[in-house]
Amino acid sequence: MDKTGGMFCVMKAEGAVGVFAWIFYRNLAAFWLMQPLAVCMARNIKKRELYRQEQKLNGQFKDGLLAMAASVRAGHSAENAFRDAADELAFLYGAEERITCEFKRVGARINMNVPLEQAVREQAESCKLLDIETFSEVFSAARRTGGELGRVILDTAQTIAGRLEVREEIDTMLRGKQYEQKIMRAVPPLLLIYMDLTSPGFFAVLYGTVLGRGIMTGCLVVYLTAVWLAEKISDIRV
């Protein structure tokens, strides 16, 4: 993830902490005391965003392998197959997309007389994804032993496609529950805001006394624990 994405995660976490500080404490000092929570939230948001990017990259890499397999079966060399795949990915996703740049870099390294196996290994090290690393190892072994590259590439693409299909099926089954989870997550804060707007001063005792702040702290802990448990239950990765 680039710096812009990291800053977005931090801003999103700080915004959430700001809302919590206002709803549960109505105190600016609480915002600064809750910065450790903001750090944890930013890390969690970044982790989810990285996982989404990894799934996207895996799907695009699968399309690149399918393009390579078609090129090899058409009689092209493995080196030219990478170039053909880069052109196909540029057509599908755009020339500036990361996966397109990764395949173009393999072609550029080949033009610099770098061995193809090394260029593919460098691609795997750059992407840091298990499927791409596995492909790099299998591809290098096939090149050394004279294996059928078209079959190796196609089998790897089918393996990734199968994993993505299982992931999509799980997402489909969980999507309804995840929407319900988001709604239930928003209900307590919205309810507090509604009560405060319709009945000003109704919660004043909870913000102006030690006991009231203790109760609100307990409510915040219960709320965050429930959100964390809901995310863990629905976080099924393949």
Side-chain angles (χ1 to χ4, degrees):
M1 181 181 294
D2 57 18
K3 293 182 179 180
T4 302
M7 286 299 298
F8 174 77
C9 294
V10 172
M11 291 174 62
K12 191 173 181 179
E14 291 289 354
V17 168
V19 172
F20 291 151
W22 182 79
I23 291 177
F24 289 93
Y25 297 102
R26 303 292 170 83
N27 193 318
L28 181 61
F31 173 77
W32 299 111
L33 292 174
M34 294 171 67
Q35 286 306 299
L37 175 62
V39 173
C40 294
M41 292 182 66
R43 289 177 178 174
N44 191 38
I45 294 171
K46 182 178 180 180
K47 184 178 179 181
R48 292 201 304 268
E49 183 62 27
L50 285 173
Y51 180 70
R52 283 194 291 267
Q53 292 180 3
E54 288 174 357
Q55 293 304 303
K56 176 183 176 182
L57 190 61
N58 266 332
Q60 294 174 343
F61 183 71
K62 177 205 68 176
D63 292 335
L65 291 183
L66 291 175
M68 285 180 59
S71 180
V72 170
R73 290 190 168 186
H76 296 178
S77 65
E79 289 80 1
N80 287 330
F82 272 95
R83 298 187 180 98
D84 294 340
D87 294 338
E88 181 69 19
L89 291 170
F91 174 76
L92 291 174
Y93 301 110
E96 301 302 321
E97 190 70 22
R98 180 183 178 187
I99 190 63
T100 305
C101 295
E102 291 292 345
F103 273 80
K104 284 184 176 179
R105 187 171 67 173
V106 173
R109 296 290 285 167
I110 294 171
N111 293 336
M112 297 170 62
N113 295 323
V114 174
L116 179 57
E117 293 85 346
Q118 180 179 339
V120 173
R121 185 166 57 252
E122 291 174 354
Q123 181 189 50
E125 292 172 352
S126 174
C127 295
K128 298 179 180 179
L129 292 180
L130 178 60
D131 287 327
I132 300 180
E133 292 174 353
T134 301
F135 169 74
S136 172
E137 295 173 359
V138 174
F139 181 82
S140 297
R143 289 273 290 186
R144 289 194 303 268
T145 59
E148 185 182 350
L149 290 178
R151 172 54 57 186
V152 169
I153 295 171
L154 185 59
D155 287 346
T156 305
Q158 290 175 342
T159 299
I160 297 175
R163 186 178 293 109
L164 292 175
E165 183 178 349
V166 172
R167 175 72 236 182
E168 290 173 359
E169 291 178 357
I170 293 174
D171 287 342
T172 300
M173 291 186 293
L174 292 178
R175 192 164 290 121
K177 296 300 181 181
Q178 289 172 343
Y179 283 135
E180 293 176 6
Q181 173 189 327
K182 291 179 180 179
I183 293 172
M184 294 303 296
R185 185 189 306 176
V187 167
L190 291 177
L191 182 60
L192 288 174
I193 294 174
Y194 172 78
M195 292 294 295
D196 188 64
L197 292 176
T198 56
S199 302
F202 186 79
F203 292 122
V205 66
L206 295 176
Y207 300 121
T209 64
V210 175
L211 178 60
R213 290 175 179 173
I215 293 174
M216 294 302 284
T217 299
C219 292
L220 177 60
V221 171
V222 171
Y223 173 76
L224 293 177
T225 302
V227 170
W228 177 77
L229 287 174
E231 289 183 350
K232 286 294 183 182
I233 291 172
S234 61
D235 186 20
I236 301 175
R237 303 190 178 185
V238 179

